Amino acid sequence: MLMKRIIPCLDVRDGRVVKGINFEGIQDVADPVEMAAFYNESGADELVFYDITASHEGRGLFTHILERTAAQVFIPLTVGGGINSLEDFDRVLKCGADKVSVNSGAINRPQLIEEAAKRYGDQCVVLSMDVKRVDGQFRLFRNGGRIDTGIDALEWAHQGQERGAGELVVNSIDTDGVKGGFDLDMLSAVARRVSIPIIASGGAGSMEHFLTLFRACPAADAGLAASIFHRRQVGIGELKDYLHGNGVPVRRVRREEETHV
């Protein structure tokens, strides 16, 4: 049985980890290098690093921050933000990323997905999707959730798989930062259209929300969260013990691995 993954997310702006609600009201949280070291030691299965304003500002990802962050991480690291070309893939991989997350760059030029999959392998290509309900449709947004593309998100997920993406990060703008639970309807709808791994993002506010996710949407391979981990409301080791005790297969954290800072 495949283990379910628990993945903290570092949304980085101007070199600092930040967090908001529904992609708005952004507040400073912490230093990304310190946070990366903490999660590496706390038993996270992977770590996601997003430069959240790179696409909106039309610039490349802050590689100097990424290099310092990657040096603290010995678990798989997925990096995104301002990824628009194979050169961008190459740059962040050389900085220490294991996988590259592409969002607006793939919307601009969908063939980037297949080009990257052919050069680096589909396991390296993560298609990130920011999704919101608009007039009863799951709609794809771009530039950090600022722009409605008019694209059907379910069809986009299917196209991404067909073009060679190895994994999807599906983030609900409707539930992001609200801490009311993952968007199960949206995730289930996406799961009916694809067979590649799905990372659920947006809405986690408690350990129970992760349990509900994995029970109600078995196709979800991982749960991603930010603020509940950043603010120490839920510890990763504590969460994994809880999930294991409720029958969810997870990689357990050895007590000597846990760090409290």
Side-chain angles (χ1 to χ4, degrees), residues 19-22 174-182 202-206 209 226-233:
K19 192 66 186 117
I21 298 176
N22 302 127
D174 294 315
T175 64
D176 179 76
V178 177
K179 299 183 182 179
F182 291 95
S206 68
H209 290 155
S227 59
I228 64 165
F229 295 144
H230 297 346
R231 301 186 189 281
R232 313 294 194 259
Q233 293 169 289

Side-chain angles (χ1 to χ4, degrees), residues 228-245:
I228 64 165
F229 295 144
H230 297 346
R231 301 186 189 281
R232 313 294 194 259
Q233 293 169 289
V234 172
I236 291 177
E238 175 190 17
L239 172 58
K240 288 188 170 186
D241 285 346
Y242 171 77
L243 292 172
H244 175 78

